[in-house]
Every structure is written in C-alpha cells, then in structure tokens.
Amino acid sequence: MTDSLTRPERTRPELSRPEALDAQGATGDDVLEVHSPATGDLVGAYAVDDDDSVRAAVARAREDAAWWGGLGFEGRKEILDQWRGVIARRAGQLADVVHRETGKPHSDAMLEVALTVDHLAWAAKHAPKVLGSRKVSSGPLMANQAATLEYLPLGVIGVIGPWNYPVFTPMGSIGYALAAGNAVVFKPSELTPGVGVWLADALREVVPQRHLLQVVVGRGETGAALCGSAIDKLAFTGSTATGKKVMAACAQNLTPVLIEAGGKDPLLVDEDADVAAAADATVWGAFSNAGQTCIGVERVYVHEKVYADFVGEVTRLAGDVRAGSGDGVKYGPMTMPSQVDVIKGQVEDAVAKGATVTFGDVADLGQHRTVQPIVLTDVPADSTAITEETFGPTVAVTRVRDMDEAVELANATAYGLGSTVFSKARGPELARRLRSGMTAVNGVITFAAIPSLPFGGVGDSGFGRIHGEDGLKEFTYAKAVARQRFKPPLALTTFARTAKTDTTLATIVNALHGGASQLPKLPKRPKGA
Ligand code: NDP
C-alpha cells in the first residue's frame, strides 16, 4: 500500500444549516450559500476554497494523477464504468440537486444526467483506440525507422464550469479528461456547487483513497486561484468575457486553455422545410431551460415563402409553453436573477428600434424571476437582441429572400458555437456554409447528444473541443517516438554526412517530389508589351 492509500480522506464540508457556519468559524466571504431560484430557500452552504486550499487540492491531484495515468486504459475504464453505474442508479438524486440549485424542472435535469452518462461510457470505451500507441508510416526517406504515436495524459486538469447545465457541461471536460488519464480539480459555478460535490463524492465511493476528482468551491476568486495554480491545462466553460480573463490568468504560467464560451445560435428555415418541425425545434431550442443554453436558438432566418406559416406556428406553440415552478411547467425561473434585466434591456432596445413583439407580455418584464416566452419579429440587425447573447427565453425571427441572405446574416456575428438548418434539399450544403462549430440539420441541438461528435466553437465562442475523439485528445499531448530498426543507408543526421550523401539525397528528393505540381506554363508575352 502506498502512502496515499492510507492518507485520511479529505471531505468537503457542507455546512447545511446557517447555525453550522458559526460553529465552524466560517462566515461572510468564507461561506458560499446557495439558494433555490424557485423558492429562495437556502439549499446548501459551503466553505469557500482560498488560494492555499486550491493549491493543496492540485498537489493531491498531482500525486494521484501518476497512479491514475499508470493504471492504463482498461483499469481506468473499470473505475469509470463503476462511477457511471453509481450516477445512473442515483440519477434521480443527482437531478434533485440540479433542480434545487438551478430551478429547472426535474425531468430536464434527468435528461441532462442521462446524456452525461452516455458520454462517460463513450469516453471510457474509446480512449484506448483514440489515444493508445499505434504505428505510423515512417516514409521513404526514414524507412529504417519504426514510428509510433500515442497521446499521453497531461497530468492535472483544472475545470471551471457554468451553472446552466451543471452536470452535462463540466462533465464534457471532466469525463473525457479522466478517461484520458488525468486527475481533475473542478470549480463549479457559485450557483451550483452542490452538483459538483455530488459528482466528486460519487467517484470517491468507487475509489475512496484517491483524489481523481476534487471540487473547489467559491466565486470568481476561487476560479482565478485555480487558473494560477500548478495545473497542466484549464478547461473553461462560461461567458466570453470571463473566458478572456481566464486565458490572461493562465498565460502567466503558459498553461494551455480550452475555452467553451457563449453563442448567438441561428436557425435557418428554407422554402422546402418542414415548417411544423422547424417551428417545434425553434420553440424548444429557444425556450427550454429558460433559454439559458449556450447552444440555444436565439435568431431565426426564414425564407419569405414560408415566413407567415412559420411565425404563425411558432406563436401557436409558444402559447402552450408555461414557465414557473410546480407541476406541468416547461421551464423554471431564471437561475441567475440579474439575467432578467439583461433580457428586459434587449427586448426594450429591440422594440425601441422598431421590432414587433409577436408573442409575449413584455409590460411587466423585469418584475418576476420567471420570464414567459417572447417572440420578436422585424428586429433590426443592430439591436442587442441580434448582436449579443441573450441567455433568456426570447427569439428573434427575421424574414429573408433566400438562403444566401440567411447564411450571410447568420454568419454576421462574432460568435460561432452551434447552428440549425431546416431544409429538405440543401441541409448539408447550408450547414457547411455556416461559421459554427456544430450544426443540426432538421433537428435541434442533436449534435450535443452524439458522443462521437466534437463540441465547441469558433470566434467569440472559444476554441478547443470537448466530446468525441478531439475531446479526448484535448486533455493529452502527442508523444512521437522514432526507433531505429537498422542502420540508415543514407546517414543524414550526422556531421559525418558526405557530399555524396547530399547528392544522393537531392536525386531521391527530386525523384520523389520533383514531379509534383508542375508550374503552369506562363502565357506568351504579347508583342510590344
Ligand atoms: P461565467 O463566465 O459568469 O462563469 C463561468 C465560471 O467561471 C463560473 O464557475 C465562475 O464562477 C467562474 N469565474 C468567474 N470569474 C472568474 C475568474 N476571474 N477567473 C476564473 N473563473 C471565474 O458564466 P456563467 O456561469 O454565467 O455561464 C453562462 C455562460 O456560459 C454563457 O455565456 C453560456 O453561453 C456559456 N456556456 C457555454 C457553453 C459551451 O459549451 N460553449 C456551455 C454552457 C454555458 P462563479 O459562478 O462563482 O462566478
């Protein structure tokens, strides 16, 4: 048994009652209280991790990362499969925590957990094939060498996550980083620390003495401490503004970063589209989770030939969507109270610039934590409802003369996360023309649930990928090995290289590559020119 196996287990203190806070001497900034967005009730209180405790967590992770990396793919898969089993069997319990902390309906939380479990299975199963050692061609010039390539774990990965999908989103980094052989220190959003603690506790049940996944709790300062610690990579999911701060902080130590930031996702409806399906996708894509979805539908561009039908259908469906708390609601209150003002500001800006409120009651917008669906039409392109991420249950629908105009408007944003196309004949073609990391054709958000597809954006939506093969490689470094099999006929990498060798090399290179891409003959110069 190694030292670490006998080490006393560190448990995260959950200070569940306000009285307990004083008893443990933790007050004010030392304590993070979590309140239910639906009821305002205190649903958890946690001691905040400072610089020292973040550093200590990273040091513990470093020790156990060596053990975890050395276990190999099969050993790791066994443990990750057990963890997956615990999460799946207690999905209802985890969904309860999500529901309490975010206010989203329990069934939405269950969906999030289900998709997460599926990703975890994929990552553990495919890691050996994607990352394991394989032979690659050494090429004619180096035919005496055997070349192998593998992807090795980086060591300790810091993960900073948001609150909107507090299981699915950070687990896109955590699960894939673990499957690739790293230990993880996770800083959940200050709104959803209980979800992070639940996930870490579940893994600790499977491997009690190891610190494979530790949670550090706190606000932005705790996240900043993680960025400045001795981690080997930082995977950030959150807003573009915070992503820039994270990148700047990580640059101090040349710590590489993965940035999964915001979006302003467009949905295109072509003239031949199934209008009813496109409207259904729009309503769910825009309003589910109260619009607090990085890949939520925020802008819709509709061919003029089907515009009236589409707007009619969206309006009808929006009428069936009731938000709030309790049974039968389709989504809950805004998780972050300040988001209500952002939504109000964007809607007012759009209306002031000439937009029409086709559906929704905007008179008392800003008065309640729950925002009912809002459909805007004729929204000018310079409105913040078009240019900035809303992260609320609103959607802006715009009429276009054709799909060229739709693509142009859809791409006229600094973001480039997800997108959607509804078209019978031109789906894949239009998808390729959209500048976004992912596109769903005749469906919505479907790519996120397919574990073999990479997830991530371009531009202000960030860079790097979670999920799929790219998501596994993201948490590794490529290790290249060239092994000499026999003495080279041409000794190139030595000062003993001769002039004859140089001549032979030139002849071979000319034979191999000289015929490639012959220069086109230049047109004859006209006389007198
Ligand atoms: P924020 O950017 O506010 O926060 C993200 C995380 O960063 C939180 O854990 C936050 O902590 C932490 N943080 C805040 N300040 C710092 C800092 N200076 N240094 C390090 N960490 C810091 O985003 P939200 O939590 O509000 O999430 C919503 C955003 O996330 C939206 O823009 C959404 O589009 C994006 N998102 C992107 C996804 C993607 O995959 N591309 C998926 C899901 C969401 P704390 O909460 O304690 O402030």
Side-chain angles (χ1 to χ4, degrees):
M1 231 186 234
T2 64
D3 266 340
S4 55
L5 285 177
T6 53
R7 221 166 31 218
E9 187 49 34
R10 171 186 189 254
T11 51
R12 158 142 302 284
E14 183 185 353
L15 313 168
S16 54
R17 290 167 297 113
E19 311 89 82
L21 307 183
D22 292 337
Q24 297 191 24
T27 52
D29 285 352
D30 298 341
V31 172
L32 187 64
E33 288 191 354
V34 185
H35 294 266
S36 157
T39 63
D41 291 348
L42 181 69
V43 293
Y46 300 83
V48 165
D49 282 288
D50 59 12
D51 273 17
D52 288 343
S53 60
V54 169
R55 254 198 303 273
V58 172
R60 280 189 297 272
R62 170 84 49 215
E63 273 186 44
D64 287 342
W67 171 79
W68 183 237
L71 258 191
F73 293 113
E74 279 315 304
R76 290 200 290 268
K77 180 173 183 301
E78 216 169 278
I79 287 172
L80 292 176
D81 285 350
Q82 287 176 33
W83 185 34
R84 174 163 60 92
V86 174
I87 299 172
R89 287 191 294 279
R90 296 187 205 150
Q93 197 187 87
L94 176 55
D96 278 346
V97 183
V98 175
H99 167 67
R100 277 202 301 273
E101 291 193 332
T102 64
K104 72 171 73 175
H106 193 271
S107 74
D108 280 1
M110 283 296 281
L111 175 62
E112 186 179 336
V113 176
L115 296 181
T116 302
V117 164
D118 206 36
H119 272 283
L120 191 53
W122 192 94
K125 182 176 172 198
H126 288 83
K129 186 164 172 263
V130 177
L131 307 176
S133 176
R134 64 172 191 267
K135 287 188 181 142
V136 293
S137 164
S138 49
L141 277 182
M142 303 300 274
N144 69 316
Q145 301 284 326
T148 53
L149 169 64
E150 65 182 315
Y151 293 86
L152 298 177
L154 288 164
V156 180
I157 307 297
V159 174
I160 296 180
W163 45 265
N164 58 341
Y165 291 91
V167 180
F168 182 75
T169 295
M171 279 292 285
S173 294
I174 295 168
Y176 285 74
L178 286 169
N182 304 278
V184 173
V185 179
F186 171 36
K187 205 296 272 180
S189 162
E190 67 188 87
L191 301 177
T192 54
V195 174
V197 170
W198 192 101
L199 288 167
D201 284 350
L203 182 53
R204 201 173 290 124
E205 272 185 41
V206 179
V207 266
Q209 294 88 358
R210 300 293 186 178
H211 302 94
L212 300 182
L213 171 60
Q214 297 172 85
V215 170
V216 289
V217 168
R219 306 174 183 86
E221 299 78 34
T222 305
L226 188 58
C227 294
S229 69
I231 49 174
D232 298 295
K233 184 157 190 170
L234 193 285
F236 169 82
T237 308
S239 63
T240 305
T242 309
K244 289 178 184 173
K245 289 188 201 162
V246 162
M247 236 181 124
C250 286
Q252 302 305 312
N253 296 327
L254 217 61
T255 302
V257 290
L258 156 68
I259 303 286
E260 295 286 354
K264 188 74 194 170
D265 288 6
L267 182 148
L268 275 53
V269 186
D270 201 356
E271 59 183 314
D272 67 348
D274 178 339
V275 170
D280 186 68
T282 298
V283 169
W284 190 79
F287 305 144
S288 61
N289 207 35
Q292 304 165 119
T293 305
C294 54
I295 45 173
V297 174
E298 298 209 351
R299 301 174 292 147
V300 183
Y301 298 103
V302 191
H303 197 288
E304 59 187 8
K305 286 190 181 154
V306 293
Y307 180 79
D309 286 353
F310 177 82
V311 172
E313 189 61 8
V314 164
T315 307
R316 188 183 71 74
L317 292 173
D320 294 338
V321 178
R322 195 169 59 81
S325 305
D327 292 341
V329 297
K330 303 288 189 206
Y331 63 81
M334 302 310 294
T335 304
M336 203 164 58
S338 57
Q339 203 59 28
V340 175
D341 289 334
V342 173
I343 299 164
K344 183 174 187 287
Q346 289 197 6
V347 170
E348 284 175 355
D349 174 66
V351 171
K353 286 177 175 152
T356 306
V357 180
T358 300
F359 181 86
D361 179 7
V362 296
D364 68 347
L365 190 53
Q367 307 299 313
H368 312 285
R369 180 91 174 241
T370 299
V371 179
Q372 302 296 336
I374 294 170
V375 180
L376 300 169
T377 50
D378 310 314
V379 185
D382 63 346
S383 310
T384 50
I386 296 288
T387 58
E388 291 174 15
E389 186 179 43
T390 310
F391 231 51
T394 70
V395 66
V397 184
T398 301
R399 180 203 310 256
V400 291
R401 61 176 182 277
D402 57 25
M403 285 299 103
D404 288 343
E405 187 184 8
V407 168
E408 195 183 320
L409 292 172
N411 286 343
T413 170
Y415 290 111
L417 194 54
S419 55
T420 309
V421 174
F422 272 83
S423 171
K424 288 203 177 88
R426 302 176 61 194
E429 175 220 323
L430 293 169
R432 286 200 75 232
R433 290 169 60 191
L434 289 171
R435 183 181 167 273
S436 68
M438 305 148 293
T439 304
V441 176
N442 298 330
V444 68
I445 304 186
T446 41
F447 44 74
I450 299 175
S452 50
L453 282 179
F455 185 105
V458 294
D460 278 6
S461 295
F463 51 83
R465 293 293 182 266
I466 56 172
H467 302 173
E469 296 190 6
D470 302 72
L472 282 167
K473 286 183 184 163
E474 194 72 47
F475 300 106
T476 63
Y477 66 97
K479 179 71 186 178
V481 175
R483 179 178 58 81
Q484 179 156 303
R485 295 190 295 138
F486 53 85
K487 259 185 119 182
L490 277 184
L492 300 176
T493 54
T494 168
F495 286 124
R497 197 173 65 229
T498 61
K500 189 172 169 223
T501 305
D502 286 346
T503 311
T504 312
L505 179 64
T507 308
I508 293 172
V509 167
N510 190 26
L512 288 174
H513 304 291
S517 176
Q518 296 274 10
L519 288 177
K521 279 192 183 140
L522 292 174
K524 275 197 182 140
R525 232 182 191 182
K527 270 190 190 148

